[in-house]
Amino acid sequence: MEISLTTKVAVLILLCGIIYLDRVAVLQMMIHRPIAIAVITGALFNRLPECVTLGILLEMLWVSRLPVGASVPPDDTGAALFGTVAVAYLSFSREVGFADIALIGSASVFVGELGREVDILIRRMNGKISRYAVSGVDVGDLETVRSCIYASIVLWLMAGVLLSFSWIVLGILAGKWLVPAIPQYVISPFLVMYLIIPATGAVSVYQHCRVSNKIAFFHMALASGAIAFMIFEMGVF
């Protein structure tokens, strides 16, 4: 039995709401990465090649942006959700070109930065819950500590579901109505972003790998291979 698009969207919202927990200290199985989100979305909408292509772009851009210390990385999960859903819905109306993927990928970068600000807000709310937990530890009230842990998980889960809903709806609007309405001569110049995005990511990876020349060489080789693959796929050579 064929599953309707509405059902697929609902499943994706709930699934990615749970996957958002992977961004914090709940799951941490790396299933929140753009390439993983791209595979999930592509498989669900039967648009695996298009979605994975965008996932590779975003993965290369943010592979070195990690939540270390006080650093809050861009919301690459939300960016991948928005972008892959937009690509999937665009493919329902016409063939998706590399310029389309570059345009949607560029828009996904802004979504990631916007999601980062939302992430910071949620972390501040979670910080208030943690203070109650600390006070519970001071007086030996383990029930309060346990309740705070549950409250924190529920907070992140609710935020993940709401964020997933927002990014998916925006992706549907972009892929179904916005991008198809843009003239081709406006979209075509974005083709250069198809190379700039992974190249920027490669530079970022290199800057974060200076502790080991071997690691830096590995990541640069990986990035160069991805860029070369994209150039050949674009038909430049």
Side-chain angles (χ1 to χ4, degrees):
M1 183 177 64
E2 181 66 24
I3 303 175
S4 65
L5 282 176
T6 303
T7 303
K8 291 181 179 181
V9 169
V11 169
L12 187 61
I13 290 172
L14 294 176
L15 180 60
C16 289
I18 298 173
I19 289 176
Y20 255 97
L21 293 176
D22 191 54
R23 297 183 61 84
V24 294
V26 179
L27 298 176
Q28 292 193 333
M29 298 171 61
M30 302 304 288
I31 55 176
H32 71 278
R33 299 300 305 172
I35 189 64
I37 297 295
V39 171
I40 292 171
T41 306
L44 193 60
F45 291 103
N46 197 27
R47 292 295 187 272
L48 200 58
E50 297 91 339
C51 291
V52 169
T53 301
L54 178 61
I56 292 173
L57 284 177
L58 297 179
E59 186 68 38
M60 285 303 306
L61 179 63
W62 286 321
V63 69
S64 63
R65 298 292 297 273
L66 302 174
V68 179
S71 174
V72 180
D75 184 4
D76 45 22
T77 305
L81 262 179
F82 164 81
T84 53
V85 169
V87 167
Y89 267 80
L90 178 62
S91 68
F92 294 149
S93 58
R94 62 176 170 82
E95 184 177 355
V96 178
F98 292 108
D100 296 316
I101 294 176
L103 171 62
I104 294 174
S106 301
S108 299
V109 172
F110 290 100
V111 170
E113 293 299 329
L114 179 60
R116 176 178 178 274
E117 298 303 316
V118 177
D119 196 348
I120 292 174
L121 176 62
I122 299 172
R123 288 171 185 265
R124 289 174 180 171
M125 296 170 61
N126 191 58
K128 295 180 179 179
I129 296 175
S130 67
R131 284 194 285 271
Y132 285 105
V134 171
S135 63
V137 171
D138 292 338
V139 298
D141 186 358
L142 297 181
E143 187 61 35
T144 297
V145 176
R146 187 180 298 110
S147 298
C148 289
I149 292 174
Y150 290 151
S152 179
I153 294 175
V154 170
L155 172 64
W156 283 107
L157 180 60
M158 292 177 60
V161 171
L162 291 174
L163 285 171
S164 298
F165 174 80
S166 302
W167 304 140
I168 289 172
V169 169
L170 287 176
I172 292 173
L173 293 175
K176 193 172 183 179
W177 286 291
L178 180 60
V179 177
I182 300 176
Q184 192 61 39
Y185 68 85
V186 176
I187 295 179
S188 296
F190 278 89
L191 188 61
V192 67
M193 297 302 296
Y194 200 73
L195 297 176
I196 291 178
I197 290 176
T200 303
V203 172
S204 178
V205 168
Y206 182 75
Q207 289 177 340
H208 287 79
C209 290
R210 291 184 177 177
V211 294
S212 171
N213 291 330
K214 293 181 179 179
I215 295 176
F217 178 77
F218 169 77
H219 284 292
M220 288 300 292
L222 185 65
S224 301
I227 294 173
F229 171 77
M230 293 174 185
I231 291 176
F232 279 102
E233 283 293 306
M234 290 165 57
V236 176
F237 299 107

